[in-house]
Amino acid sequence: MELSRLQRRAENEWWIAPYGKMRVPAVIFATEALIRDMDEKVYEQATNVAMLPGIVKASYVMPDAHWGYGFPIGGVAAFDADQGGVISAGGVGFDISCGVRTLLTGLTFDQIQAKKERLADALFGKIPAGVGSRGKLSLNEKEMNAMLAGGAKWAVERGYGMREDLERVEEGGCIPGAHPHEVSDRAKKRQREEMGTLGSGNHYLEVQHVAKIVDRDIAAAFGVSQGNIVLSIHCGSRGLGHQVGTEFLTRMAAAASQYGIDLPDRELA
Amino acid sequence: MPECRWELLPHGADIGVRGVGRTKAEAFEQAAMALTAVITEPASVSANECVEITCQATDDELLLVNWLNAVIYEMATRRMLFARYEVGIDGNGLFAKAWGEPIDENKHELGVEVKGATCTELKVAPDQDGGWIAQCVVDV
């Protein structure tokens, strides 16, 4: 990103003052080096977000920002319903309940060294991954709704996780108030096919070795020490999240003009 | 008049699909071919079974997004890959046939699963050669 287009307000705080249809400034938190490496699209997307009705104070951009859909990835904004604030389906995004989780194994690097190949084969054999893979779970309509409403709690109740896992998940693994009946049959059908599979693309399960501890206190809080073997898993959302996000986004994009909402980018609908 | 063709465009962690055709409908067919190419080598897919797909939208660009999402939905829920598409567009409605076969790990070299089509880099427009372009980024 071009530094000359930004005002430096503090060591790591950069502003784009409102111009054109922007209602508030865009504020980027990043070091100079990160700003230089940032995609110009982040500038464009952060200013687009600043144009949305009812935005509070600023369109914020975190240090990890990169080119996203409508919002930059790492973009943050609040909207005040009493000030004409909007709900942006694109801002909520397609990645519903997607995330990375690290599991401690209690094993050390030395213990698995001689068994690495067998371990990899066993993981490939047991975990359905890749395009078109099939899982062992097939949920009927009632169970699908229970899963959508119960989240990780549902999984633990059925023996797919441990109670202690929930203590380490945001909101205990379940945000109350979900309306599974608002999720379309098409979205549920996609989930039915993918249930219990890891996915493909950037979804992964990695066996990782803790090679170096940088901050002892943080490592201790997470129960990690040097030489540990941990499993990191990136999964979630996939077909279900995309189907839900896309269905609402296309409906809202088509309806925006009826409500007098001028969208700088349809992806912000 | 341009030849019918498809292209893949780089986009950060995701990928863009572009179809070029003599008509809008042909550009839509080619964009769907590009979608197949994200997942596997299109030439490795046999056009054995036919699936009918319809969708609607309020304008051409949202129609492209809905079309590609409908193809993604059929591929995901039928576990199929498509090798050929035939698209008809009538105002806001699209009527299509897609020919393909079930995914076969031994036959198809599989790349990534596509989660959905997006409104990013979305464009459906005539190009300067008198043909049509239909493109958008797909989330993988």
Side-chain angles (χ1 to χ4, degrees), chain A residues 47-97:
Chain A
T47 55
N48 282 345
V49 170
M51 296 177 197
L52 293 176
I55 185 166
V56 178
K57 283 193 177 169
S59 156
Y60 293 99
V61 176
M62 301 298 113
D64 62 340
H66 52 283
W67 187 11
Y69 296 114
F71 271 63
I73 312 287
V76 177
F79 300 91
D80 186 343
D82 294 332
Q83 301 295 322
V86 293
I87 293 172
S88 166
V92 174
F94 307 102
D95 288 326
I96 301 167
S97 195

mmCIF file of all heavy atoms in Angstrom, chain A residues 47-97:
data_model
loop_
_atom_site.group_PDB
_atom_site.id
_atom_site.type_symbol
_atom_site.label_atom_id
_atom_site.label_comp_id
_atom_site.label_asym_id
_atom_site.label_seq_id
_atom_site.Cartn_x
_atom_site.Cartn_y
_atom_site.Cartn_z
ATOM 1 N N THR A 47 -12.081 1.738 2.574
ATOM 2 C CA THR A 47 -12.835 2.971 2.284
ATOM 3 C C THR A 47 -14.270 2.625 1.889
ATOM 4 O O THR A 47 -15.196 3.342 2.266
ATOM 5 C CB THR A 47 -12.169 3.820 1.180
ATOM 6 O OG1 THR A 47 -11.998 3.013 0.025
ATOM 7 C CG2 THR A 47 -10.829 4.351 1.596
ATOM 8 N N ASN A 48 -14.491 1.534 1.188
ATOM 9 C CA ASN A 48 -15.860 1.113 0.846
ATOM 10 C C ASN A 48 -16.684 0.852 2.111
ATOM 11 O O ASN A 48 -17.848 1.253 2.196
ATOM 12 C CB ASN A 48 -15.846 -0.156 -0.006
ATOM 13 C CG ASN A 48 -15.494 0.111 -1.455
ATOM 14 O OD1 ASN A 48 -15.531 1.269 -1.906
ATOM 15 N ND2 ASN A 48 -15.164 -0.926 -2.188
ATOM 16 N N VAL A 49 -16.080 0.166 3.079
ATOM 17 C CA VAL A 49 -16.782 -0.129 4.340
ATOM 18 C C VAL A 49 -17.163 1.185 5.042
ATOM 19 O O VAL A 49 -18.251 1.306 5.610
ATOM 20 C CB VAL A 49 -15.919 -1.030 5.258
ATOM 21 C CG1 VAL A 49 -16.525 -1.147 6.652
ATOM 22 C CG2 VAL A 49 -15.751 -2.412 4.640
ATOM 23 N N ALA A 50 -16.269 2.180 4.949
ATOM 24 C CA ALA A 50 -16.518 3.478 5.599
ATOM 25 C C ALA A 50 -17.704 4.221 4.986
ATOM 26 O O ALA A 50 -18.183 5.208 5.540
ATOM 27 C CB ALA A 50 -15.260 4.338 5.533
ATOM 28 N N MET A 51 -18.196 3.756 3.830
ATOM 29 C CA MET A 51 -19.335 4.397 3.155
ATOM 30 C C MET A 51 -20.677 3.810 3.615
ATOM 31 O O MET A 51 -21.729 4.329 3.253
ATOM 32 C CB MET A 51 -19.236 4.195 1.636
ATOM 33 C CG MET A 51 -18.033 4.864 1.010
ATOM 34 S SD MET A 51 -17.986 4.457 -0.774
ATOM 35 C CE MET A 51 -16.306 4.884 -1.150
ATOM 36 N N LEU A 52 -20.656 2.719 4.368
ATOM 37 C CA LEU A 52 -21.917 2.044 4.721
ATOM 38 C C LEU A 52 -22.710 2.866 5.747
ATOM 39 O O LEU A 52 -22.139 3.449 6.666
ATOM 40 C CB LEU A 52 -21.632 0.642 5.275
ATOM 41 C CG LEU A 52 -21.051 -0.349 4.263
ATOM 42 C CD1 LEU A 52 -20.720 -1.679 4.948
ATOM 43 C CD2 LEU A 52 -22.020 -0.586 3.105
ATOM 44 N N PRO A 53 -24.044 2.896 5.608
ATOM 45 C CA PRO A 53 -24.876 3.680 6.523
ATOM 46 C C PRO A 53 -24.769 3.212 7.975
ATOM 47 O O PRO A 53 -24.707 2.010 8.233
ATOM 48 C CB PRO A 53 -26.311 3.422 6.011
ATOM 49 C CG PRO A 53 -26.153 2.974 4.600
ATOM 50 C CD PRO A 53 -24.839 2.261 4.548
ATOM 51 N N GLY A 54 -24.715 4.175 8.898
ATOM 52 C CA GLY A 54 -24.753 3.877 10.326
ATOM 53 C C GLY A 54 -23.448 3.376 10.903
ATOM 54 O O GLY A 54 -23.415 2.935 12.055
ATOM 55 N N ILE A 55 -22.352 3.467 10.142
ATOM 56 C CA ILE A 55 -21.061 2.995 10.669
ATOM 57 C C ILE A 55 -20.615 3.893 11.829
ATOM 58 O O ILE A 55 -20.792 5.117 11.776
ATOM 59 C CB ILE A 55 -19.978 2.882 9.561
ATOM 60 C CG1 ILE A 55 -18.691 2.260 10.126
ATOM 61 C CG2 ILE A 55 -19.710 4.230 8.890
ATOM 62 C CD1 ILE A 55 -17.702 1.799 9.068
ATOM 63 N N VAL A 56 -20.076 3.302 12.875
ATOM 64 C CA VAL A 56 -19.686 4.025 14.082
ATOM 65 C C VAL A 56 -18.180 4.297 14.070
ATOM 66 O O VAL A 56 -17.387 3.365 13.872
ATOM 67 C CB VAL A 56 -20.054 3.202 15.343
ATOM 68 C CG1 VAL A 56 -19.613 3.933 16.614
ATOM 69 C CG2 VAL A 56 -21.547 2.908 15.371
ATOM 70 N N LYS A 57 -17.830 5.538 14.234
ATOM 71 C CA LYS A 57 -16.432 6.011 14.405
ATOM 72 C C LYS A 57 -15.494 5.778 13.224
ATOM 73 O O LYS A 57 -14.957 6.725 12.683
ATOM 74 C CB LYS A 57 -15.805 5.420 15.671
ATOM 75 C CG LYS A 57 -16.302 6.121 16.920
ATOM 76 C CD LYS A 57 -15.446 5.740 18.115
ATOM 77 C CE LYS A 57 -15.927 6.532 19.336
ATOM 78 N NZ LYS A 57 -15.326 6.041 20.563
ATOM 79 N N ALA A 58 -15.269 4.540 12.843
ATOM 80 C CA ALA A 58 -14.284 4.299 11.779
ATOM 81 C C ALA A 58 -14.432 2.901 11.206
ATOM 82 O O ALA A 58 -15.053 2.032 11.802
ATOM 83 C CB ALA A 58 -12.861 4.479 12.324
ATOM 84 N N SER A 59 -13.844 2.736 10.029
ATOM 85 C CA SER A 59 -13.697 1.415 9.426
ATOM 86 C C SER A 59 -12.286 0.980 9.808
ATOM 87 O O SER A 59 -11.304 1.582 9.379
ATOM 88 C CB SER A 59 -13.854 1.576 7.907
ATOM 89 O OG SER A 59 -13.222 0.539 7.214
ATOM 90 N N TYR A 60 -12.185 -0.027 10.670
ATOM 91 C CA TYR A 60 -10.879 -0.424 11.214
ATOM 92 C C TYR A 60 -10.261 -1.576 10.409
ATOM 93 O O TYR A 60 -10.973 -2.431 9.880
ATOM 94 C CB TYR A 60 -11.019 -0.844 12.675
ATOM 95 C CG TYR A 60 -11.393 0.303 13.579
ATOM 96 C CD1 TYR A 60 -12.717 0.499 13.975
ATOM 97 C CD2 TYR A 60 -10.424 1.209 14.016
ATOM 98 C CE1 TYR A 60 -13.069 1.566 14.797
ATOM 99 C CE2 TYR A 60 -10.764 2.279 14.835
ATOM 100 C CZ TYR A 60 -12.091 2.449 15.222
ATOM 101 O OH TYR A 60 -12.427 3.505 16.013
ATOM 102 N N VAL A 61 -8.935 -1.561 10.386
ATOM 103 C CA VAL A 61 -8.195 -2.596 9.656
ATOM 104 C C VAL A 61 -7.087 -3.130 10.567
ATOM 105 O O VAL A 61 -6.282 -2.353 11.077
ATOM 106 C CB VAL A 61 -7.592 -2.016 8.360
ATOM 107 C CG1 VAL A 61 -6.746 -3.054 7.647
ATOM 108 C CG2 VAL A 61 -8.686 -1.479 7.443
ATOM 109 N N MET A 62 -7.081 -4.422 10.793
ATOM 110 C CA MET A 62 -6.089 -5.052 11.674
ATOM 111 C C MET A 62 -4.783 -5.342 10.915
ATOM 112 O O MET A 62 -4.765 -5.327 9.689
ATOM 113 C CB MET A 62 -6.665 -6.362 12.250
ATOM 114 C CG MET A 62 -7.941 -6.177 13.057
ATOM 115 S SD MET A 62 -7.725 -5.132 14.521
ATOM 116 C CE MET A 62 -8.717 -3.698 14.066
ATOM 117 N N PRO A 63 -3.694 -5.604 11.655
ATOM 118 C CA PRO A 63 -2.376 -5.751 11.005
ATOM 119 C C PRO A 63 -2.289 -6.894 9.980
ATOM 120 O O PRO A 63 -1.433 -6.866 9.099
ATOM 121 C CB PRO A 63 -1.423 -6.042 12.176
ATOM 122 C CG PRO A 63 -2.137 -5.580 13.393
ATOM 123 C CD PRO A 63 -3.594 -5.708 13.129
ATOM 124 N N ASP A 64 -3.178 -7.894 10.108
ATOM 125 C CA ASP A 64 -3.106 -9.048 9.194
ATOM 126 C C ASP A 64 -3.942 -8.833 7.929
ATOM 127 O O ASP A 64 -4.188 -9.776 7.176
ATOM 128 C CB ASP A 64 -3.602 -10.320 9.903
ATOM 129 C CG ASP A 64 -5.065 -10.221 10.338
ATOM 130 O OD1 ASP A 64 -5.569 -9.078 10.435
ATOM 131 O OD2 ASP A 64 -5.703 -11.259 10.568
ATOM 132 N N ALA A 65 -4.375 -7.591 7.691
ATOM 133 C CA ALA A 65 -5.345 -7.348 6.619
ATOM 134 C C ALA A 65 -4.849 -7.777 5.242
ATOM 135 O O ALA A 65 -3.681 -7.594 4.902
ATOM 136 C CB ALA A 65 -5.695 -5.872 6.581
ATOM 137 N N HIS A 66 -5.765 -8.373 4.484
ATOM 138 C CA HIS A 66 -5.508 -8.625 3.064
ATOM 139 C C HIS A 66 -6.820 -8.603 2.291
ATOM 140 O O HIS A 66 -7.894 -8.489 2.883
ATOM 141 C CB HIS A 66 -4.703 -9.907 2.847
ATOM 142 C CG HIS A 66 -5.268 -11.120 3.522
ATOM 143 N ND1 HIS A 66 -5.134 -11.363 4.871
ATOM 144 C CD2 HIS A 66 -5.968 -12.156 3.030
ATOM 145 C CE1 HIS A 66 -5.719 -12.499 5.175
ATOM 146 N NE2 HIS A 66 -6.245 -13.007 4.084
ATOM 147 N N TRP A 67 -6.691 -8.712 0.985
ATOM 148 C CA TRP A 67 -7.828 -8.590 0.075
ATOM 149 C C TRP A 67 -8.879 -9.649 0.384
ATOM 150 O O TRP A 67 -8.605 -10.844 0.303
ATOM 151 C CB TRP A 67 -7.322 -8.738 -1.364
ATOM 152 C CG TRP A 67 -8.342 -8.485 -2.425
ATOM 153 C CD1 TRP A 67 -9.593 -7.943 -2.274
ATOM 154 C CD2 TRP A 67 -8.183 -8.747 -3.827
ATOM 155 N NE1 TRP A 67 -10.223 -7.850 -3.486
ATOM 156 C CE2 TRP A 67 -9.393 -8.330 -4.452
ATOM 157 C CE3 TRP A 67 -7.158 -9.273 -4.606
ATOM 158 C CZ2 TRP A 67 -9.581 -8.445 -5.826
ATOM 159 C CZ3 TRP A 67 -7.356 -9.381 -5.973
ATOM 160 C CH2 TRP A 67 -8.553 -8.976 -6.581
ATOM 161 N N GLY A 68 -10.089 -9.182 0.751
ATOM 162 C CA GLY A 68 -11.156 -10.126 1.082
ATOM 163 C C GLY A 68 -12.344 -9.949 0.167
ATOM 164 O O GLY A 68 -12.213 -9.461 -0.956
ATOM 165 N N TYR A 69 -13.515 -10.353 0.670
ATOM 166 C CA TYR A 69 -14.761 -10.197 -0.082
ATOM 167 C C TYR A 69 -15.555 -9.057 0.545
ATOM 168 O O TYR A 69 -16.100 -9.195 1.625
ATOM 169 C CB TYR A 69 -15.566 -11.493 -0.035
ATOM 170 C CG TYR A 69 -14.861 -12.634 -0.720
ATOM 171 C CD1 TYR A 69 -14.405 -13.726 -0.029
ATOM 172 C CD2 TYR A 69 -14.628 -12.565 -2.089
ATOM 173 C CE1 TYR A 69 -13.743 -14.748 -0.671
ATOM 174 C CE2 TYR A 69 -13.961 -13.576 -2.744
ATOM 175 C CZ TYR A 69 -13.523 -14.672 -2.028
ATOM 176 O OH TYR A 69 -12.859 -15.672 -2.675
ATOM 177 N N GLY A 70 -15.619 -7.898 -0.128
ATOM 178 C CA GLY A 70 -16.334 -6.740 0.417
ATOM 179 C C GLY A 70 -15.515 -6.073 1.493
ATOM 180 O O GLY A 70 -14.848 -5.060 1.257
ATOM 181 N N PHE A 71 -15.518 -6.622 2.678
ATOM 182 C CA PHE A 71 -14.614 -6.190 3.744
ATOM 183 C C PHE A 71 -13.228 -6.749 3.427
ATOM 184 O O PHE A 71 -13.124 -7.841 2.874
ATOM 185 C CB PHE A 71 -15.022 -6.825 5.088
ATOM 186 C CG PHE A 71 -16.021 -6.059 5.897
ATOM 187 C CD1 PHE A 71 -17.301 -5.840 5.410
ATOM 188 C CD2 PHE A 71 -15.702 -5.583 7.159
ATOM 189 C CE1 PHE A 71 -18.244 -5.154 6.166
ATOM 190 C CE2 PHE A 71 -16.640 -4.898 7.924
ATOM 191 C CZ PHE A 71 -17.910 -4.677 7.435
ATOM 192 N N PRO A 72 -12.160 -6.004 3.847
ATOM 193 C CA PRO A 72 -10.861 -6.702 3.797
ATOM 194 C C PRO A 72 -10.882 -7.791 4.865
ATOM 195 O O PRO A 72 -11.579 -7.650 5.873
ATOM 196 C CB PRO A 72 -9.856 -5.604 4.155
ATOM 197 C CG PRO A 72 -10.623 -4.538 4.853
ATOM 198 C CD PRO A 72 -12.055 -4.651 4.398
ATOM 199 N N ILE A 73 -10.124 -8.869 4.676
ATOM 200 C CA ILE A 73 -9.932 -9.831 5.765
ATOM 201 C C ILE A 73 -9.196 -9.043 6.847
ATOM 202 O O ILE A 73 -8.242 -8.320 6.536
ATOM 203 C CB ILE A 73 -9.043 -11.027 5.341
ATOM 204 C CG1 ILE A 73 -9.486 -11.633 4.011
ATOM 205 C CG2 ILE A 73 -8.946 -12.068 6.445
ATOM 206 C CD1 ILE A 73 -10.734 -12.431 3.996
ATOM 207 N N GLY A 74 -9.626 -9.147 8.081
ATOM 208 C CA GLY A 74 -9.016 -8.340 9.139
ATOM 209 C C GLY A 74 -9.670 -6.970 9.251
ATOM 210 O O GLY A 74 -9.152 -6.082 9.921
ATOM 211 N N GLY A 75 -10.811 -6.776 8.613
ATOM 212 C CA GLY A 75 -11.565 -5.521 8.706
ATOM 213 C C GLY A 75 -12.570 -5.609 9.845
ATOM 214 O O GLY A 75 -13.146 -6.668 10.080
ATOM 215 N N VAL A 76 -12.743 -4.498 10.585
ATOM 216 C CA VAL A 76 -13.683 -4.473 11.713
ATOM 217 C C VAL A 76 -14.524 -3.203 11.619
ATOM 218 O O VAL A 76 -13.985 -2.122 11.375
ATOM 219 C CB VAL A 76 -12.918 -4.472 13.073
ATOM 220 C CG1 VAL A 76 -13.896 -4.375 14.240
ATOM 221 C CG2 VAL A 76 -12.055 -5.721 13.217
ATOM 222 N N ALA A 77 -15.834 -3.340 11.794
ATOM 223 C CA ALA A 77 -16.698 -2.157 11.806
ATOM 224 C C ALA A 77 -17.912 -2.429 12.675
ATOM 225 O O ALA A 77 -18.361 -3.569 12.783
ATOM 226 C CB ALA A 77 -17.145 -1.801 10.381
ATOM 227 N N ALA A 78 -18.418 -1.364 13.319
ATOM 228 C CA ALA A 78 -19.649 -1.475 14.114
ATOM 229 C C ALA A 78 -20.700 -0.584 13.466
ATOM 230 O O ALA A 78 -20.370 0.463 12.893
ATOM 231 C CB ALA A 78 -19.377 -1.041 15.545
ATOM 232 N N PHE A 79 -21.961 -1.010 13.537
ATOM 233 C CA PHE A 79 -23.054 -0.240 12.945
ATOM 234 C C PHE A 79 -24.137 -0.020 13.997
ATOM 235 O O PHE A 79 -24.489 -0.947 14.728
ATOM 236 C CB PHE A 79 -23.633 -0.987 11.738
ATOM 237 C CG PHE A 79 -22.607 -1.210 10.666
ATOM 238 C CD1 PHE A 79 -21.845 -2.359 10.653
ATOM 239 C CD2 PHE A 79 -22.369 -0.239 9.699
ATOM 240 C CE1 PHE A 79 -20.869 -2.555 9.698
ATOM 241 C CE2 PHE A 79 -21.395 -0.429 8.745
ATOM 242 C CZ PHE A 79 -20.632 -1.589 8.742
ATOM 243 N N ASP A 80 -24.639 1.225 14.082
ATOM 244 C CA ASP A 80 -25.640 1.577 15.087
ATOM 245 C C ASP A 80 -27.032 1.552 14.447
ATOM 246 O O ASP A 80 -27.329 2.372 13.574
ATOM 247 C CB ASP A 80 -25.308 2.973 15.628
ATOM 248 C CG ASP A 80 -26.211 3.358 16.783
ATOM 249 O OD1 ASP A 80 -27.273 2.709 16.956
ATOM 250 O OD2 ASP A 80 -25.853 4.302 17.515
ATOM 251 N N ALA A 81 -27.871 0.616 14.906
ATOM 252 C CA ALA A 81 -29.210 0.463 14.327
ATOM 253 C C ALA A 81 -30.021 1.747 14.479
ATOM 254 O O ALA A 81 -30.849 2.084 13.627
ATOM 255 C CB ALA A 81 -29.931 -0.703 14.991
ATOM 256 N N ASP A 82 -29.790 2.513 15.556
ATOM 257 C CA ASP A 82 -30.545 3.753 15.775
ATOM 258 C C ASP A 82 -30.082 4.881 14.852
ATOM 259 O O ASP A 82 -30.726 5.911 14.751
ATOM 260 C CB ASP A 82 -30.409 4.209 17.238
ATOM 261 C CG ASP A 82 -31.076 3.217 18.183
ATOM 262 O OD1 ASP A 82 -32.040 2.551 17.742
ATOM 263 O OD2 ASP A 82 -30.628 3.101 19.341
ATOM 264 N N GLN A 83 -28.952 4.695 14.214
ATOM 265 C CA GLN A 83 -28.429 5.712 13.286
ATOM 266 C C GLN A 83 -28.494 5.203 11.847
ATOM 267 O O GLN A 83 -27.665 5.558 11.010
ATOM 268 C CB GLN A 83 -26.971 6.050 13.644
ATOM 269 C CG GLN A 83 -26.769 6.584 15.060
ATOM 270 C CD GLN A 83 -27.452 7.921 15.271
ATOM 271 O OE1 GLN A 83 -27.484 8.783 14.381
ATOM 272 N NE2 GLN A 83 -28.048 8.116 16.452
ATOM 273 N N GLY A 84 -29.478 4.362 11.570
ATOM 274 C CA GLY A 84 -29.635 3.850 10.209
ATOM 275 C C GLY A 84 -28.629 2.777 9.856
ATOM 276 O O GLY A 84 -28.393 2.488 8.676
ATOM 277 N N GLY A 85 -28.041 2.176 10.869
ATOM 278 C CA GLY A 85 -26.993 1.168 10.639
ATOM 279 C C GLY A 85 -27.509 -0.051 9.883
ATOM 280 O O GLY A 85 -28.668 -0.441 10.027
ATOM 281 N N VAL A 86 -26.652 -0.613 9.072
ATOM 282 C CA VAL A 86 -27.030 -1.753 8.228
ATOM 283 C C VAL A 86 -26.492 -3.069 8.806
ATOM 284 O O VAL A 86 -25.583 -3.074 9.627
ATOM 285 C CB VAL A 86 -26.481 -1.607 6.788
ATOM 286 C CG1 VAL A 86 -27.144 -0.457 6.080
ATOM 287 C CG2 VAL A 86 -24.959 -1.449 6.795
ATOM 288 N N ILE A 87 -27.102 -4.157 8.359
ATOM 289 C CA ILE A 87 -26.511 -5.481 8.578
ATOM 290 C C ILE A 87 -25.883 -5.854 7.246
ATOM 291 O O ILE A 87 -26.535 -5.766 6.200
ATOM 292 C CB ILE A 87 -27.576 -6.514 8.976
ATOM 293 C CG1 ILE A 87 -28.134 -6.165 10.363
ATOM 294 C CG2 ILE A 87 -26.992 -7.927 8.957
ATOM 295 C CD1 ILE A 87 -29.326 -6.995 10.767
ATOM 296 N N SER A 88 -24.629 -6.235 7.249
ATOM 297 C CA SER A 88 -23.942 -6.619 6.022
ATOM 298 C C SER A 88 -23.682 -8.122 6.049
ATOM 299 O O SER A 88 -22.857 -8.603 6.834
ATOM 300 C CB SER A 88 -22.614 -5.853 5.915
ATOM 301 O OG SER A 88 -21.793 -6.439 4.928
ATOM 302 N N ALA A 89 -24.424 -8.859 5.204
ATOM 303 C CA ALA A 89 -24.209 -10.312 5.146
ATOM 304 C C ALA A 89 -22.773 -10.592 4.700
ATOM 305 O O ALA A 89 -22.124 -11.507 5.203
ATOM 306 C CB ALA A 89 -25.202 -10.970 4.190
ATOM 307 N N GLY A 90 -22.291 -9.761 3.765
ATOM 308 C CA GLY A 90 -20.914 -9.931 3.296
ATOM 309 C C GLY A 90 -19.910 -9.688 4.415
ATOM 310 O O GLY A 90 -18.864 -10.322 4.470
ATOM 311 N N GLY A 91 -20.249 -8.748 5.319
ATOM 312 C CA GLY A 91 -19.380 -8.467 6.461
ATOM 313 C C GLY A 91 -19.330 -9.636 7.420
ATOM 314 O O GLY A 91 -18.280 -9.953 7.983
ATOM 315 N N VAL A 92 -20.473 -10.277 7.622
ATOM 316 C CA VAL A 92 -20.507 -11.479 8.465
ATOM 317 C C VAL A 92 -19.654 -12.554 7.791
ATOM 318 O O VAL A 92 -18.908 -13.277 8.446
ATOM 319 C CB VAL A 92 -21.962 -11.983 8.663
ATOM 320 C CG1 VAL A 92 -21.976 -13.310 9.404
ATOM 321 C CG2 VAL A 92 -22.788 -10.943 9.412
ATOM 322 N N GLY A 93 -19.774 -12.628 6.471
ATOM 323 C CA GLY A 93 -18.885 -13.501 5.700
ATOM 324 C C GLY A 93 -19.458 -14.881 5.448
ATOM 325 O O GLY A 93 -20.535 -15.230 5.932
ATOM 326 N N PHE A 94 -18.719 -15.642 4.664
ATOM 327 C CA PHE A 94 -19.152 -16.982 4.253
ATOM 328 C C PHE A 94 -18.602 -18.056 5.189
ATOM 329 O O PHE A 94 -19.021 -19.192 5.135
ATOM 330 C CB PHE A 94 -18.651 -17.291 2.844
ATOM 331 C CG PHE A 94 -19.012 -16.259 1.830
ATOM 332 C CD1 PHE A 94 -18.085 -15.331 1.398
ATOM 333 C CD2 PHE A 94 -20.294 -16.218 1.309
ATOM 334 C CE1 PHE A 94 -18.422 -14.380 0.452
ATOM 335 C CE2 PHE A 94 -20.633 -15.281 0.363
ATOM 336 C CZ PHE A 94 -19.698 -14.350 -0.061
ATOM 337 N N ASP A 95 -17.609 -17.649 5.980
ATOM 338 C CA ASP A 95 -16.915 -18.657 6.782
ATOM 339 C C ASP A 95 -17.547 -18.757 8.153
ATOM 340 O O ASP A 95 -16.972 -18.352 9.145
ATOM 341 C CB ASP A 95 -15.426 -18.328 6.877
ATOM 342 C CG ASP A 95 -14.741 -18.581 5.553
ATOM 343 O OD1 ASP A 95 -15.166 -19.519 4.865
ATOM 344 O OD2 ASP A 95 -13.800 -17.853 5.225
ATOM 345 N N ILE A 96 -18.742 -19.308 8.194
ATOM 346 C CA ILE A 96 -19.459 -19.427 9.451
ATOM 347 C C ILE A 96 -18.875 -20.581 10.255
ATOM 348 O O ILE A 96 -18.806 -21.706 9.783
ATOM 349 C CB ILE A 96 -20.963 -19.638 9.183
ATOM 350 C CG1 ILE A 96 -21.511 -18.450 8.376
ATOM 351 C CG2 ILE A 96 -21.719 -19.809 10.491
ATOM 352 C CD1 ILE A 96 -22.888 -18.685 7.793
ATOM 353 N N SER A 97 -18.429 -20.246 11.474
ATOM 354 C CA SER A 97 -17.849 -21.256 12.360
ATOM 355 C C SER A 97 -16.605 -21.921 11.770
ATOM 356 O O SER A 97 -16.396 -23.120 11.938
ATOM 357 C CB SER A 97 -18.884 -22.323 12.721
ATOM 358 O OG SER A 97 -18.438 -23.070 13.822
#
